[in-house]
Amino acid sequence: MTLPDPLAQQILRIAKLAGDEIMGIYEKDFDIYEKQDTSPLTEADLAAHNCIVKELKELSDLPILSEESADIDWEERQTWQQYWLVDPLDGTKEFIKKNGEFTVNIALIDNGKPTMGVVYAPARKEAYVGIVGKGAWIENTAGTKSIEARQHQNGEVWKVVGSRSHQSPEIKNLLDQLDDETELVAMGSSLKLCLVASGEAHLYPRLGPTSEWDTGAAHAVALAAGASVTVLDPDNPLDPDAEALTYNQKSSVLNPFFLVSA
């Protein structure tokens, strides 16, 4: 099975090229720098960023917002209708730990909504692709197959994507509102959203800081698979009327808290 959309095929190709750059550094010792916000920045971030930007510029004239070129003024960004949203290496801490749970994220944003996304995990040789209105797929060593989010059924254990460490009071409050037993599913980077998209989990509540490039690609995969990504109010975490998470609608690129649900 091949992807039904030529543009998605091209974006997956670019993500894999960036993944090759990352793995060339992952398999040896690498330098770690410090960003202004003190998060680790590796050679791999920069190599993947340069690869993706070069390839995207050859593919289209759309502007590009990448984590590694995030200093574009809001005055310019607010004029964008369509643009590429890129995290060349999501899960830098996972990369440094060498646990394989890191990804290349490339999303197409149209009027504040993700319409296409590719999430590629090079160490796992696994890719998630979503085209809103057409479907979502997973590609790995077993081939390519379609995926869809799976709603919770009464009496079934709630599978909730969460941290490996202690849960916050806000997360505990959400879990207490669920009517059946819960099981936490741990995962790194944007793969957390993909677990809901692929039906391996029912919910992913995010009550910690993220930026738009962290979520855009996997958000598109989730939407394409039939899931929802909505703004999460800690006081009303299961609000059925919660607003959809949007992009490039404000000067800050920080996301509000959000909930991914099947």
Side-chain angles (χ1 to χ4, degrees), residues 7-23:
L7 181 57
Q9 291 176 18
Q10 288 281 12
I11 299 307
L12 178 56
R13 177 188 66 83
I14 293 170
K16 288 180 176 180
L17 287 175
D20 290 343
E21 295 283 343
I22 290 169
M23 292 307 294

Side-chain angles (χ1 to χ4, degrees), residues 9-81:
Q9 291 176 18
Q10 288 281 12
I11 299 307
L12 178 56
R13 177 188 66 83
I14 293 170
K16 288 180 176 180
L17 287 175
D20 290 343
E21 295 283 343
I22 290 169
M23 292 307 294
I25 296 165
Y26 184 70
E27 291 166 356
K28 64 180 184 180
D29 292 333
F30 45 82
D31 293 326
I32 301 172
Y33 308 98
E34 291 290 324
K35 297 184 185 179
Q36 288 184 343
D37 63 2
T38 72
S39 60
L41 171 63
T42 68
E43 297 170 67
D45 294 82
L46 298 174
H49 165 79
N50 291 334
C51 172
I52 293 168
V53 169
K54 174 181 176 292
E55 293 289 333
L56 286 178
K57 284 183 175 179
E58 292 179 1
L59 185 66
S60 83
D61 294 328
L62 292 178
I64 303 166
L65 179 63
S66 167
E67 179 177 13
E68 306 311 334
S69 60
D71 54 352
I72 300 170
D73 289 339
W74 169 237
E75 287 187 3
E76 178 181 347
R77 283 196 294 113
Q78 64 184 328
T79 66
W80 296 355
Q81 178 177 332

Side-chain angles (χ1 to χ4, degrees), residues 41-246:
L41 171 63
T42 68
E43 297 170 67
D45 294 82
L46 298 174
H49 165 79
N50 291 334
C51 172
I52 293 168
V53 169
K54 174 181 176 292
E55 293 289 333
L56 286 178
K57 284 183 175 179
E58 292 179 1
L59 185 66
S60 83
D61 294 328
L62 292 178
I64 303 166
L65 179 63
S66 167
E67 179 177 13
E68 306 311 334
S69 60
D71 54 352
I72 300 170
D73 289 339
W74 169 237
E75 287 187 3
E76 178 181 347
R77 283 196 294 113
Q78 64 184 328
T79 66
W80 296 355
Q81 178 177 332
Q82 280 190 317
Y83 67 100
W84 297 108
L85 180 60
V86 175
D87 190 342
L89 176 50
D90 181 39
T92 308
K93 292 178 182 177
E94 313 301 331
F95 178 88
I96 292 168
K97 293 176 187 175
K98 294 203 169 186
N99 69 9
E101 295 176 5
F102 52 87
T103 59
V104 177
N105 300 340
I106 306 175
L108 179 62
I109 307 296
D110 189 346
N111 284 315
K113 298 177 182 179
T115 58
M116 177 190 297
V118 170
V119 175
Y120 178 54
R124 299 160 64 99
K125 299 189 184 308
E126 186 172 75
Y128 292 87
V129 180
I131 308 168
V132 176
K134 292 187 178 181
W137 299 266
I138 182 173
E139 179 192 279
N140 53 30
T141 54
T144 303
K145 66 177 183 179
S146 61
I147 57 173
E148 61 181 28
R150 188 173 59 82
Q151 290 190 346
H152 175 264
Q153 304 297 316
N154 286 338
E156 185 181 10
V157 174
W158 281 97
K159 292 192 175 182
V160 181
V161 183
S163 169
R164 288 186 174 86
S165 57
H166 179 70
Q167 294 303 307
S168 68
E170 291 85 1
I171 295 291
K172 186 175 184 304
N173 176 43
L174 184 150
L175 298 179
D176 288 344
Q177 294 188 40
L178 301 177
D179 48 11
D180 287 305
E181 184 183 347
T182 61
E183 173 188 331
L184 287 178
V185 182
M187 182 59 71
S189 70
S190 59
L191 292 169
K192 299 184 194 72
L193 290 89
C194 295
L195 290 178
V196 179
S198 63
E200 297 174 69
H202 302 110
L203 297 173
Y204 168 39
R206 179 68 186 203
L207 285 153
T210 58
S211 295
E212 293 183 0
W213 46 72
D214 294 320
T215 57
H219 186 167
V221 173
L223 292 179
S228 298
V229 183
T230 54
V231 176
L232 192 159
D233 177 357
D235 295 326
N236 188 16
L238 300 179
D239 180 7
D241 299 318
E243 296 179 3
L245 187 68
T246 57

